[in-house]
Amino acid sequence: MSTTYPAGWYPDANYPGYERYYDGVTWTEHTRAVAVQPTQVLPQHTRAYPYQTQAHYQAQQYPQQAYPYTVAPTPVAEAQPPKNKGAKIPLIILGSVVGGILFLSFIGAVVSGGSDRDRPTADEPVAAQTTPEPTPTPDEAEAAPQAVEEAPPAPPTADGSVANPFPAPYTVTGFFGAEKYTFTGRVTNADATAAVKEWNMFNDDAPAGYKYVIAEVTMTGLDSDGTEPRYDQYDVQLATSEGNGYDNEIIVFPEGSSSFWDGPTLYPGQSFTGLMAFIVPADATAFLFKVDGDYVASAG
């Protein structure tokens, strides 16, 4: 499922301190500088689960059962004629031994039978003991997750191409890699054909199918030998979204405005802002700057 983001300014992940304009479909070349705001730290959501486990065990007892046994009375022997007393002694001893053995066997059977009845058998299953699950209280219920607003995907790292231009301010370097000046530009009038003619009657008309575009450009010097806007402006072109570059046009600007032809020599830390004019196709609506061969996004 795709997510639609509203058009607006969003932080540029590649260039801290700047925002890039998102038109609701894709990232544009428009950027702007913003004051750095402290990052809000969201509080960590913690959850406690204080469970109290209670186990209830009930000892199962088996009652002892008594099994009384009654010894049958000894039958009375019939009257016999008198016998030899000496022959009776071995018989008495043998009877006593056999009786003792039978008695011990009987006692063992009684004890064994009572013990077996005290233990559960396979036909008498023992109920399994279970531990009840704790029931969370209302305070312990898990809070519903809060919706987090998502930001549009971060733009790719700029590489100076038409599709991925450098953001402003852009640093221009010389032949040997030394920094010359920083550049920031923005289009102030995307169709200034009529205005140019009003500013001065001697300004040339735009050719058929073309129009004037006015841009405001700021240069800040970095070179210790100085940077002169009147010459360095030839390194600046206005480019359309297709990447076609158009050179600066010499016109007369209205009284009270500054042209880049009027710019003084800029030394490190000095800045100058002036107007530049370009003639581009009449159907062009989106613009970039092409500075020293690299494409730079408009600052506004």
Side-chain angles (χ1 to χ4, degrees), residues 11 26 28 41 44-45 60 70 84 91 95 99 117 152 160 168 176 194 205 210 217-219 254 264 300:
T26 185
T28 69
V41 179
Q44 295 295 324
H45 178 63
Q60 184 177 2
T70 303
N84 189 353
L91 294 176
R117 287 177 173 79
F176 301 102
D205 293 330
Y210 288 81
V217 176
T218 299
M219 284 186 180

Side-chain angles (χ1 to χ4, degrees), residues 22-73:
Y22 185 77
D23 61 8
V25 178
T26 185
W27 291 98
T28 69
E29 73 277 6
H30 303 300
T31 60
R32 66 180 182 184
V34 295
V36 178
Q37 298 294 333
T39 302
Q40 181 180 4
V41 179
L42 295 176
Q44 295 295 324
H45 178 63
T46 60
R47 296 177 296 181
Y49 297 89
Y51 291 99
Q52 296 180 355
T53 304
Q54 297 182 354
H56 300 281
Y57 300 95
Q58 181 178 1
Q60 184 177 2
Q61 298 181 355
Y62 297 90
Q64 298 291 334
Q65 300 181 9
Y67 295 89
Y69 291 87
T70 303
V71 180

